[in-house]
Amino acid sequence: MTRHPDHGHGPALVTRGHGPALVMVPGLAATAAFFSDAVARLANRHRVVVVELPGHGDNATADRPASLTRAAEDLHTTIEKLDLTDVTLLGWSLGATVAYGYLEQFGAARIRALVSVEQTPRLLRDDDWPYAAFGNLDAAGADAVLASVTDDYPAFAAGLVRGSFAAGTDADQTTLAGLIDETRRCDPDAVRALLAEALTVDWRDRLRRISVPTLLVHGAHSQVYPGDVGGWLRSAIPASRLEVFTGSGHLPFVEEPDRFADLVSTFVDHPVAT
């Protein structure tokens, strides 16, 4: 992959390949390297661009603090700077929330389709919402998670990656170690700021306004989102379709890479919702 570091002119970028544009946004405490294998596969037929979250990987936050608004603006800056059109926008986990925010703030004039991978519209559980993070995250649990980010970030990073693989499976140790190393490259203050903000937002009604064809990808054995949030999203987003990865947790592009690349590549070429 080709890296374009930020020299004060916008977010750092990772680009590869030629063809229809696919812009990817990693999740919380993840860098572009999480997508390395997927990018290598998808770049055979598409122009793939990865935009990291603020304070993650090579996307520094010296100019202004990390926020979900800043993340969506970074995405907008990238698409405009590269003059991309007919873009398929792919967000994984918190990256999907950023993709929703981009569409709400900047519209779909340059966006052809959306791929939302393993995300919930509301992280906290309440009486009428069973699809919280980890299945049962409440306000007290959220406070504990936020404290753990800066109290012991290396431990937080390792636990986050381990818990992202499918329940009941043993991750390849080399892959696991590499992803943990990448997670530890992220700025703990940025991770905490983005998570704290994400805990306050609710996309349940707002998602109904998404107008582009949307592919929903969820892992059947996700420990991060163990319920059928994919089914809920399928009913909420008008032009959407759900694909469940039966051998995956929160990392379908790592756990079932062949199927993930084939599915996304086909959807980029033919974004049919149902």
Side-chain angles (χ1 to χ4, degrees), residues 17-53:
H18 302 279
L22 172 63
V23 179
M24 305 174 72
V25 187
L28 185 74
T31 69
F34 274 64
F35 285 150
S36 291
D37 181 78
V39 169
R41 295 167 185 267
L42 290 163
N44 288 328
R45 291 170 54 186
H46 310 294
R47 182 181 186 185
V48 184
V49 179
V50 183
V51 183
E52 294 173 314
L53 297 176

Side-chain angles (χ1 to χ4, degrees), residues 241-259:
R241 129 184 178 220
L242 172 63
E243 294 287 341
V244 176
F245 280 54
T246 58
S248 293
H250 192 54
L251 296 161
F253 46 89
V254 173
E255 296 169 286
E256 296 181 71
D258 291 337
R259 183 186 174 199

Side-chain angles (χ1 to χ4, degrees), residues 186-208:
C186 301
D187 176 8
D189 290 333
V191 171
R192 178 172 176 141
L194 288 168
L195 178 57
E197 185 179 356
L199 288 164
T200 69
V201 300
D202 188 342
W203 279 93
R204 284 175 289 184
D205 290 332
R206 295 152 73 184
L207 286 177
R208 301 180 192 280

Side-chain angles (χ1 to χ4, degrees), residues 88-89 103 111-116 210-216 237-241 267 270-274:
T88 298
L89 191 54
L103 289 168
I111 307 302
R112 185 184 187 199
L114 171 68
V115 182
S116 175
I210 292 177
S211 59
V212 297
T214 300
L215 173 64
L216 302 163
I237 299 175
S240 64
R241 129 184 178 220
F267 186 71
H270 306 286
V272 178
T274 55

Side-chain angles (χ1 to χ4, degrees), residues 23-268:
V23 179
M24 305 174 72
V25 187
L28 185 74
T31 69
F34 274 64
F35 285 150
S36 291
D37 181 78
V39 169
R41 295 167 185 267
L42 290 163
N44 288 328
R45 291 170 54 186
H46 310 294
R47 182 181 186 185
V48 184
V49 179
V50 183
V51 183
E52 294 173 314
L53 297 176
H56 289 52
D58 294 323
N59 191 355
T61 54
D63 54 342
R64 55 198 173 102
S67 69
L68 294 176
T69 297
R70 154 76 186 270
E73 289 172 350
D74 284 351
L75 197 50
H76 175 67
T77 297
T78 298
I79 290 170
E80 293 289 319
K81 181 179 180 179
L82 298 178
D83 194 23
L84 301 177
T85 57
D86 293 326
V87 173
T88 298
L89 191 54
L90 184 153
W92 162 57
S93 198
L94 191 62
T97 300
V98 172
Y100 308 155
Y102 170 91
L103 289 168
E104 185 172 79
Q105 292 177 60
F106 302 105
R110 290 180 178 263
I111 307 302
R112 185 184 187 199
L114 171 68
V115 182
S116 175
V117 183
E118 270 284 304
Q119 183 57 326
T120 184
R122 174 68 173 157
L123 289 174
L124 290 180
R125 185 182 181 93
D126 57 39
D127 291 341
D128 63 349
W129 184 245
Y131 303 123
F134 316 118
N136 59 0
L137 187 67
D138 58 14
D143 288 343
V145 172
L146 284 171
S148 73
V149 175
T150 44
D151 287 349
D152 189 348
Y153 183 70
F156 169 83
L160 184 66
V161 174
R162 291 191 182 99
S164 292
F165 285 88
T169 63
D170 293 322
D172 173 78
Q173 292 304 299
T174 300
T175 301
L176 182 67
L179 294 180
I180 290 172
D181 285 345
E182 287 298 319
T183 296
R184 289 174 175 167
R185 291 184 59 221
C186 301
D187 176 8
D189 290 333
V191 171
R192 178 172 176 141
L194 288 168
L195 178 57
E197 185 179 356
L199 288 164
T200 69
V201 300
D202 188 342
W203 279 93
R204 284 175 289 184
D205 290 332
R206 295 152 73 184
L207 286 177
R208 301 180 192 280
R209 296 195 289 269
I210 292 177
S211 59
V212 297
T214 300
L215 173 64
L216 302 163
V217 177
H218 285 262
H221 305 287
S222 179
Q223 301 181 76
V224 178
Y225 300 119
D228 184 24
V229 67
W232 187 93
L233 289 167
R234 170 63 186 88
S235 67
I237 299 175
S240 64
R241 129 184 178 220
L242 172 63
E243 294 287 341
V244 176
F245 280 54
T246 58
S248 293
H250 192 54
L251 296 161
F253 46 89
V254 173
E255 296 169 286
E256 296 181 71
D258 291 337
R259 183 186 174 199
F260 184 86
D262 289 347
L263 177 67
V264 170
S265 183
T266 299
F267 186 71
V268 171

